[in-house]
Amino acid sequence: PVHRGDQTVQHCIRPCGARCLIRPSPIERILRDLTFYQRHDNDDHILVTYSSYGVNSIWETTNGGFNWTSVEGNLPDMPVRWVIFNPINNDQALIATELGVWSTDNLNGASTNWGATNSGLANVRVDMLQTRSSDKLIIAATHGRGLYYTGAFSPAAAGPR
């Protein structure tokens, strides 16, 4: 857990069927699947995703969990399974969803604009994203279709677009 004052943000990545609770939670309910991503250079900047239908699936806090803002924006109603910040530009993020990888260049509350980022990747469930620190290469782990990679967060690609 990440503790902030008298509040706790629980990092829950558990096998199928596990349940967890975030307090304070942006949505008050027990959740089955949750991912949590904290910036390596700013402990107070956190993204949380909920893998469920019918809820705002992506939340951001910049003050360690005291306040949460939905950054779901224009994203269709689908489970979001993983989230990562761009390690070079904290306004950019990638998410693993039921329909592949989606990205934004500007985390901006309800105005966040997400777009499918599936070049070479079918509209397939993506369960996990990881960034290799040496060169910022991103690996996407799919459900049944293997691993895919992109250099979207490499220093040359991550600048202003």
Side-chain angles (χ1 to χ4, degrees):
V2 174
H3 299 281
R4 189 73 170 153
D6 62 347
Q7 303 180 11
T8 301
V9 175
Q10 181 74 35
H11 178 193
C12 301
I13 302 173
R14 306 224 175 116
C16 237
R19 300 169 74 81
C20 60
L21 178 65
I22 279 189
R23 288 203 175 118
S25 177
I27 50 179
E28 297 300 324
R29 66 155 84 186
I30 294 178
L31 303 157
R32 288 180 43 89
D33 296 303
L34 168 90
T35 62
F36 159 95
Y37 192 84
Q38 189 172 30
R39 283 200 49 81
H40 70 282
D41 61 347
N42 180 352
D43 290 345
D44 289 338
H45 196 178
I46 302 166
L47 290 173
V48 172
T49 67
Y50 297 109
S51 182
S52 189
Y53 289 99
V55 298
N56 283 337
S57 298
I58 311 167
W59 293 84
E60 178 182 36
T61 181
T62 57
N63 60 11
F66 287 104
N67 302 98
W68 294 92
T69 302
S70 172
V71 291
E72 186 159 334
N74 67 332
L75 192 68
D77 183 18
M78 64 182 160
V80 177
R81 303 191 186 289
W82 204 272
V83 62
I84 59 174
F85 282 108
N86 179 337
I88 299 167
N89 180 342
N90 65 357
D91 285 331
Q92 297 175 344
L94 285 177
I95 54 175
T97 76
E98 192 72 17
L99 292 174
V101 177
W102 291 59
S103 65
T104 184
D105 287 335
N106 186 19
L107 290 166
N108 188 23
S111 298
T112 301
N113 185 27
W114 295 95
T117 309
N118 291 329
S119 180
L121 174 66
N123 286 339
V124 63
R125 175 177 155 176
V126 176
D127 291 318
M128 184 178 195
L129 299 167
Q130 289 292 310
T131 307
R132 186 167 60 190
S133 60
S134 63
D135 60 1
K136 312 303 182 246
L137 185 76
I138 301 160
I139 302 293
T142 69
H143 182 77
R145 293 215 175 185
L147 301 173
Y148 289 78
Y149 68 91
T150 178
F153 286 172
S154 68
R161 295 183 202 177

